Amino acid sequence: MDKRELGAFLRARREALRPADVGLPELAGGRARRTPGLRREEVAGLAGVSVNYYERLEQARAPRPSPQVVDAIGRALELSEAERAHLSRLAGHASPARPGGAEQVPPGVRVLLDRIGPVAAYVCDAGHDILAWNDFAAALITDFGALPRAERNVLRLAMRLGGTACSAHPEAAGGFEAQAAAQSRAALARRPHDSALRRLVGEFAERAPGFAAEWRRHDVRPRATLRKRVDHGELGVLDLDCQTLDVPGADLRVVMLSAGPGTLAHDKLTRLQLRLAAPDSVRRP
């Protein structure tokens, strides 16, 4: 059980919840609320636990809550499925994942990368390391195979490239930082002893104020789709859709960059695909 993370997560989710979301009045005792979100006693009442116990949970002083109490607090805070799973892990009711570096890319996922068409796709693990990619991703983003193994990492690439190669679309500013923070929070709950990921998060937070701000929000909700802007040396600026799919049975995700048919970006991607001399193939470290 990670008492400090549990308390911080509960506090963040409580402060993010509006009273109206749970059927409570916006006024507290006839007066305007001094702080955002719910009060501790309101969450305790909704969850059916004592105010003292809930306060001690947020203060990292309470013993481990039972699965029933965790479930009740999750309902009181209107947590999503991903947030409830995260809460359960922080409370010590889920088995930790295998140590980082143990994941292998399933053969079927490698075949998908090879056959996916005019889509740039790569596979990441929980620590944001890029484990496999197709030629289209290498041609569109960067030549991953030419990078040192330690630099084949989404966050390290963001720091090295300064966000100029593949950044959040202006209409979705902060989307990448929010997604990276949520993924990292969830991963560290699954892998509490992953010191490499913890160091990476600290380094990225120092370099990216947007990520640091999102990290403090303790948000772990997944974002399956983002808008990305790629500034390609030959094709120019492309506004793309970025989808993320989790790999069943593995702590891996597939990230895909594509464009809708009929768009200028799609036409450019098609030209890039035709220009590649060899068929798409998966490159391996």
Side-chain angles (χ1 to χ4, degrees), residues 110-121 133-139 269 272-283:
R110 293 187 182 274
V111 171
L112 172 66
L113 296 185
D114 191 30
R115 298 178 178 175
I116 203 167
V119 175
W133 57 92
N134 60 13
D135 281 349
F136 207 75
L269 291 182
L272 178 61
Q273 184 188 32
L274 294 175
R275 187 181 60 78
L276 292 177
D280 286 358
S281 61
V282 177
R283 299 185 180 185

Side-chain angles (χ1 to χ4, degrees), residues 76-98:
L77 291 174
E78 299 282 327
L79 299 185
S80 67
E81 182 179 350
E83 289 170 328
R84 292 192 186 201
H86 184 69
L87 177 62
S88 183
R89 291 190 188 95
L90 294 179
H93 295 302
S95 300
R98 296 193 302 272

